[in-house]
Amino acid sequence: MMAAVVGYLAVLGILALFTFYMDGDTGVQLLAVYLLLPAASALLTLLARRQLKIRLTLPDSVKKGGTCMLTAEITKRWRIPLPFVRFRLEPDGHFDSPMVPVQTALAFGRQDTRQAELLPRICGQAQVDAADPRVIGYFGFLKLKLEMPAPAQVMIVPQVPELTAKDALFTVMSAAVQTECEEETNTQVAFGAATTAGYEHRDYVPGDPLKRINWKLSSKRQSLMVRMDEAVSLSRVHVLLDLARPQGAPAYKSRFLLEQQITEGALGMLALCARQGMAAVFSYQSLSGWQEVLAESPEAVEELALHVLERGFSEELGAARLSGSFLSGSGNGVYLIYTANPDPELLSQAAHMRGEVHIVMPGGMDASGAKLHFWWLQSDFRLLPMT
């Protein structure tokens, strides 16, 4: 602004010299014009403040690692030529995109549209703000703030990582859900919630009883397959995603990475259970409350990924950190709680649950609690028991 003022005063000085030493009549006319123009510019700027509106739009959802287009629409109600509009598009830490400056002059038009390509890199509820929106007079003397537009939001869909049956936690879960029936000749078909006729199988992991290996199926698949007893109700495995925002993360991007880690870790475990014939019930909070879905196939898990973060992580989830099925679960169930905020409140609720409870949290976090099993989730989604 200082440069504009200095430039304007310099022009007036030159016109004054022109008026006194060269052409008085023309100089007076020019001085009148240059003295009236700032007043006209200020008037138009004041009018423009109420006439201009900025609107940001993004698609409803986008896949992580792709691209999406942000549209900034600047509109005015009159066709009167109005001064410049300037603001900054500021994507949050979910995007790998820099700030984008936007400046436009609508002139006699009533609408101007600008677009910017963004790179979504971290899953979650992402948003883009229009920071410091201002209308600026033609001479740059007057800069007035405009009404702050609503941020544009988009759900960046998490990816489902492919875990292996050699994962330590999955081995523990498999042992816990097996029935006590060890007789290999028992082919009695039993049906429970989420069971199907015939024996289910999963990949062999070291420590499994050799008598459970289905040698015929293993020879066909060229990989050792272990029989799971048909009488097992597959819904005995429950996975919950805690949407409490992690505490103490140093920056927004660091916090978003922790949220992504547990979200994709939970989805990866669901997909692994489905592939191995041990489908799990998944509990998560949506905009309408707790949802519980039986993930019977990897395709069902991919579908869940589209909706699991509709509500997004929050610091205001209240006391209901666990779903009703977790708080009133059966004593022979296996319960996995994926959380980036293992605070005393959550651990106290989990300690009073029935069944075998495992707390999964990002590697490096610390927690303790009676009757609970703690696991560190690594950046590559490996699970290590916390010792």
Side-chain angles (χ1 to χ4, degrees):
M1 180 174 178
M2 183 59 67
V5 172
V6 171
Y8 178 71
L9 293 176
V11 170
L12 289 181
I14 293 171
L15 287 177
L17 292 174
F18 179 83
T19 302
F20 284 108
Y21 294 104
M22 297 185 69
D23 190 339
D25 292 339
T26 304
V28 169
Q29 294 174 2
L30 291 174
L31 280 172
V33 170
Y34 271 85
L35 288 173
L36 289 175
L37 281 178
S41 174
L43 179 61
L44 288 174
T45 304
L46 290 171
L47 290 173
R49 190 177 188 182
R50 296 182 177 274
Q51 302 303 317
L52 290 166
K53 184 177 181 181
I54 302 172
R55 181 170 176 264
L56 306 181
T57 56
L58 279 167
D60 293 333
S61 63
V62 62
K63 289 185 177 180
K64 188 181 78 170
T67 61
C68 66
M69 196 65 68
L70 169 71
T71 301
E73 184 179 84
I74 307 101
T75 58
K76 65 177 182 180
R77 285 184 286 179
W78 292 353
R79 290 191 178 275
I80 296 176
L82 298 181
F84 300 102
V85 178
R86 181 184 297 167
F87 56 93
R88 300 189 308 272
L89 297 174
E90 292 190 347
D92 70 9
H94 290 93
F95 296 95
D96 190 13
S97 301
M99 175 197 72
V100 180
V102 177
Q103 179 169 305
T104 180
L106 295 180
F108 289 95
R110 299 187 64 176
Q111 179 177 316
D112 189 16
T113 301
R114 301 297 176 92
Q115 290 188 319
E117 186 177 75
L118 303 179
L119 306 175
R121 288 293 180 263
I122 301 176
C123 70
Q125 282 288 359
Q127 71 176 39
V128 180
D129 293 286
D132 195 26
R134 291 178 181 269
V135 57
I136 304 171
Y138 289 115
F139 284 81
F141 297 159
L142 192 60
K143 298 180 180 180
L144 301 177
K145 287 188 176 181
L146 293 173
E147 180 182 353
M148 186 71 71
Q153 295 186 328
V154 59
M155 211 279 276
I156 302 176
V157 179
Q159 294 178 342
V160 182
E162 188 167 340
L163 308 185
T164 68
K166 296 180 181 180
D167 184 272
L169 177 55
F170 182 77
T171 303
V172 171
M173 289 167 45
S174 300
V177 299
Q178 288 177 352
T179 64
E180 296 179 357
C181 177
E182 295 289 342
E183 296 183 9
E184 193 171 353
T185 57
N186 181 11
T187 58
Q188 183 72 27
V189 176
F191 293 92
T195 58
T196 55
Y199 285 113
E200 299 291 342
H201 295 81
R202 62 172 174 81
D203 293 336
Y204 172 84
V205 294
D208 287 331
L210 294 179
K211 66 170 61 179
R212 286 189 175 276
I213 296 177
N214 185 326
W215 297 104
K216 183 176 180 180
L217 180 61
S218 298
S219 63
K220 290 182 178 179
R221 296 192 180 181
Q222 297 182 345
S223 176
L224 291 178
M225 303 299 297
V226 176
R227 190 198 75 205
M228 296 179 64
D229 287 315
E230 167 53 36
V232 176
S233 173
L234 304 185
S235 61
R236 287 178 56 192
V237 179
H238 299 260
V239 178
L240 180 141
L241 176 62
D242 176 33
L243 293 178
R245 183 140 278 169
Q247 302 298 312
Y252 281 108
K253 183 153 285 191
S254 299
R255 187 180 70 191
F256 295 153
L257 286 170
L258 293 176
E259 295 170 357
Q260 173 178 263
Q261 191 174 351
I262 64 164
T263 301
E264 296 187 341
L267 293 172
M269 179 58 73
L270 288 171
L272 173 61
C273 291
R275 289 196 305 271
Q276 299 298 325
M278 195 169 64
V281 172
F282 184 49
S283 300
Y284 67 98
Q285 283 184 288
S286 70
L287 294 173
S288 58
W290 280 103
Q291 303 293 325
E292 296 188 346
V293 181
L294 180 64
E296 297 181 285
S297 65
E299 292 74 22
V301 178
E302 293 284 353
E303 181 68 23
L304 275 172
L306 299 174
H307 309 288
V308 67
L309 293 178
E310 284 181 347
R311 176 167 180 164
F313 284 79
S314 173
E315 297 175 356
E316 301 177 356
L317 289 177
R321 299 278 292 279
L322 300 180
S323 66
S325 65
F326 270 64
L327 296 174
S328 61
S330 62
N332 60 352
V334 179
Y335 298 87
L336 276 63
I337 300 173
Y338 280 76
T339 181
N341 186 13
D343 60 5
E345 181 180 355
L346 175 67
L347 299 181
S348 175
Q349 293 182 38
H352 289 86
M353 288 174 53
R354 300 168 61 192
E356 185 176 309
V357 182
H358 299 266
I359 306 294
V360 180
M361 53 193 176
M365 288 189 172
D366 194 18
S368 61
K371 296 172 53 181
L372 302 176
H373 307 276
F374 294 93
W375 298 81
W376 277 332
L377 179 64
Q378 306 303 298
S379 58
D380 59 358
F381 303 106
R382 289 182 301 115
L383 287 160
L384 301 179
M386 193 177 94
T387 56

